[in-house]
Amino acid sequence: MAKIIDGKAVAAQIKEELKERTAQLKEKGIEITLAVIQVGKDAASGVYVGNKKKACAYIGIRSLAYELEEGTTQEELLALIDELNGRKDVNGILVQLPLPAHIEEDKVISAICPEKDVDGFHPQSVGALCIGQAGFVSCTPAGIIQLLKRSGIEIAGKECVVIGRSNIVGKPMSLLMLRENATVTIAHSRTENLKEVAKRADILIVAIGRPKMITREYIKEGAVVIDVGIHRKEDHRLCGDVDYDDVMPVCGAITPVPGGVGPMTIAMLMNNCVESIRLQS
Ligand code: NDP
């Protein structure tokens, strides 16, 4: 029977550690502040922003919420980011994505000062990750590394296949696994013989955005399977990109959805907020 990798428990452990570090910083008179900007009223974004605020409150991070109208112009948003970049009392700036269609996400991400880029999406943060320099790392991939390490899963020397090459998950994930000395293959929608490629993996990381696409035919016996996908089914329950029930008897360990990768993303955002103090000093 495969081991279930409990992201909820690992995330809770990380949050406890961060709570302690935040309390120690407060004793030294250092308070951490995260500014969260949301444009428009997208329901899912509202839930994510709410969860981030709750996590901040739990850990002891001050959060400033900017809920802007759907019709906010790009210039207005950039002006707000510019103001927050200049504020000494603001350590992290997060713009909830997606943004309304009239705003260019790339321009907004690039406007955030890299020292405050707690989402790790700024080109400078991505470049730093690529060449092994200090900087913020995108939260979901960073969370997956923590999940593997804290579950006692060896990464160095292992064959890792990442399916998906997005800027926020697949690419930084591959770079992080490389940094941890895995042998990394990146697969995507144009990959030929995906099943055979995936079957090479000791650690298979799936971030494709297609409900239950990965079945046991993609899995090497005993492999570790990390499912990044999140989808809401018609019955309102959540599922991932991996067909959990089908893969379970074949793999060695697997993350469930919900309760796997999801909780780690917010925990690592909180970690980046706490780390911002070090990067800014
Ligand atoms: P994107 O849509 O940006 O990227 C999907 C990637 O999967 C692309 O690189 C695409 O290839 C590849 N892909 C799509 N279809 C196939 C296919 N049939 N075979 C092989 N590769 C395929 O998605 P994200 O990376 O943003 O997200 C992936 C999933 O993870 C989503 O379900 C999302 O909701 C979830 N997610 C979960 C998070 C969490 O906290 N748990 C955080 C972020 C995302 P190509 O480049 O060739 O188009």
Side-chain angles (χ1 to χ4, degrees):
M1 195 67 174
K3 173 183 166 168
I4 297 168
I5 302 173
D6 188 348
K8 229 171 142 179
V10 176
Q13 186 187 29
I14 291 173
K15 282 194 204 158
E16 287 313 312
E17 292 166 11
L18 293 172
K19 198 174 173 180
E20 221 175 286
R21 276 175 66 191
T22 309
Q24 285 165 1
L25 287 168
K26 268 199 184 137
E27 276 173 22
K28 292 186 199 157
I30 302 167
E31 187 168 43
I32 305 165
T33 300
L34 171 68
V36 181
I37 305 171
Q38 186 184 355
V39 186
K41 291 243 175 295
D42 178 73
S45 292
V47 173
Y48 293 138
V49 167
N51 288 340
K52 287 166 189 174
K53 283 194 238 167
K54 253 193 256 167
C56 282
Y58 181 75
I59 286 164
I61 294 172
R62 188 169 72 117
S63 63
L64 303 177
Y66 294 87
E67 284 158 21
L68 309 183
E69 302 277 322
E70 179 84 25
T72 302
T73 64
Q74 183 163 305
E75 289 65 36
E76 286 166 334
L77 178 56
L78 292 175
L80 173 60
I81 292 172
D82 195 41
E83 180 204 321
L84 295 168
N85 280 341
R87 271 178 62 172
K88 285 218 158 54
D89 66 323
V90 172
N91 307 95
I93 304 170
L94 183 152
V95 179
Q96 185 63 44
L97 303 178
L99 289 166
H102 65 278
I103 300 179
E104 293 161 279
E105 275 181 10
D106 285 358
K107 286 226 166 98
V108 171
I109 290 169
S110 297
I112 297 170
C113 152
E115 284 75 36
K116 300 189 178 186
D117 171 40
V118 284
D119 253 340
F121 295 163
H122 192 285
Q124 189 172 312
S125 307
V126 179
L129 169 64
C130 195
I131 58 173
Q133 288 182 355
F136 291 110
V137 177
S138 173
C139 301
T140 302
I144 291 170
I145 296 290
Q146 283 299 313
L147 206 47
L148 292 169
K149 286 188 172 174
R150 291 178 184 239
S151 306
I153 293 162
E154 176 113 14
I155 304 175
K158 301 291 176 203
E159 284 279 351
C160 172
V161 176
V162 179
I163 314 183
R165 56 175 165 179
S166 71
N167 289 341
I168 61 166
V169 187
K171 280 184 198 144
M173 188 72 247
S174 315
L175 289 168
L176 282 175
M177 291 303 275
L178 185 64
R179 191 161 89 177
E180 296 296 331
N181 298 312
T183 302
V184 183
T185 303
I186 309 172
H188 45 79
S189 68
R190 308 287 293 274
T191 298
E192 288 180 6
N193 305 320
L194 184 62
K195 284 182 186 163
E196 283 92 281
V197 172
K199 255 194 150 149
R200 293 208 299 258
D202 301 310
I203 302 173
L204 180 67
I205 302 175
V206 186
I208 49 184
R210 294 186 186 266
K212 296 191 176 187
M213 186 185 125
I214 300 302
T215 53
R216 65 176 70 188
E217 293 90 63
Y218 292 78
I219 311 291
K220 173 161 106 177
E221 181 102 34
V224 173
V225 180
I226 305 292
D227 188 356
V228 185
I230 310 178
H231 311 276
R232 195 162 292 278
K233 294 188 286 186
E234 274 170 15
D235 63 4
H236 298 291
R237 289 167 61 192
L238 294 174
C239 76
D241 289 344
V242 176
D243 187 337
Y244 183 87
D245 294 330
D246 190 60
V247 163
M248 186 72 172
V250 184
C251 66
I254 186 165
T255 55
V257 179
V261 172
M264 294 300 296
T265 300
I266 288 198
M268 295 317 287
L269 172 67
M270 297 298 108
N271 180 69
N272 281 354
C273 291
V274 176
E275 281 296 313
S276 70
I277 297 294
R278 210 200 308 253
L279 281 170
Q280 287 158 17
S281 62

